[in-house]
Amino acid sequence: MGAYRKQLKEWYKMRFKKVCSIIAVCIAVMLCLCPLAYAEEIYDENIIWQKDISWEWIDSSQVEFSENDIMMLSEASINHTVGAHVIKRASPLISLQARDKIVFNCTYAPSSASVDFGILTPDNKFYPISGQDGKINQSLLVSYSGDYYIAIRNNSNQSVTVTGTVTY
């Protein structure tokens, strides 16, 4: 009976070591993969978090809706003329979840104009990202789930023509 107990004890000991080894490998794999999954979002200079942008209240009289370029899918071509000191909603109301990414890849003319791209809430909170030198190639990572419009704001005294794509 003593030999049987000794064998049983050795079997449990080996089993315990095997289970611990498997758990240790799983933890090591998880620790290695998790930082890599977020590395692009954290360190990519082309990604800005919505929560890091100071939002602005927008007077609804400054907002225009564009009916010719309605975004139905998750990517749309933009071809808008935005009047002086106007915000143009470039999409219908879209539902976005936290961690959804919106990519602005547009050019505008004249390139000396001051143009902001971003998202606009139904209650007129605008989260702007500034274009520079007539272009923007920037991603916005949504921090708060909700309904938004894609919007373009012209801060200049003259109309601006904007072309490109917005992907979300």
Side-chain angles (χ1 to χ4, degrees):
M1 193 78 176
Y4 176 73
R5 278 189 169 173
K6 189 175 182 180
Q7 283 180 334
L8 191 58
K9 190 175 184 180
E10 285 297 316
W11 183 82
Y12 278 122
K13 191 175 182 181
M14 286 176 29
R15 192 78 166 150
F16 179 75
K17 285 181 182 180
K18 192 173 189 175
V19 168
C20 287
S21 297
I22 291 171
I23 291 172
V25 167
C26 289
I27 290 172
V29 168
M30 297 278 290
L31 289 174
C32 289
L33 292 179
C34 288
L36 293 177
Y38 297 107
E40 177 188 357
E41 295 171 1
I42 294 171
Y43 299 111
D44 187 339
E45 64 188 38
N46 286 332
I47 294 180
I48 296 175
W49 281 88
Q50 175 187 4
K51 65 182 177 176
D52 295 334
I53 300 173
S54 297
W55 57 268
E56 305 169 25
W57 285 111
I58 300 300
D59 181 359
S60 58
S61 67
Q62 294 179 314
V63 179
E64 292 181 355
F65 180 68
S66 172
E67 296 186 29
N68 61 343
D69 285 329
I70 294 180
M71 294 177 149
M72 299 301 266
L73 304 173
S74 60
E75 179 173 309
S77 294
I78 299 292
N79 188 5
H80 292 293
T81 299
V82 184
H85 301 288
V86 167
I87 292 180
K88 184 161 276 194
R89 292 186 334 202
S91 75
L93 195 61
I94 53 175
S95 282
L96 298 172
Q97 300 301 313
R99 303 187 66 79
D100 281 349
K101 183 167 44 171
I102 303 165
V103 180
F104 298 94
N105 190 4
C106 300
T107 59
Y108 54 90
S111 61
S112 60
S114 173
V115 179
D116 296 326
F117 298 80
I119 53 178
L120 180 67
T121 65
D123 61 351
N124 291 335
K125 284 184 187 176
F126 183 55
Y127 293 85
I129 302 171
S130 296
Q132 292 191 359
D133 301 322
K135 63 184 178 237
I136 186 168
N137 184 6
Q138 190 74 52
S139 298
L140 173 64
L141 209 55
V142 175
S143 301
Y144 315 107
S145 297
D147 295 327
Y148 298 95
Y149 300 100
I150 305 298
I152 303 165
R153 177 171 64 185
N154 178 4
N155 302 307
S156 302
N157 292 326
Q158 57 188 340
S159 292
V160 172
T161 302
V162 179
T163 59
T165 59
V166 176
T167 309
Y168 63 93

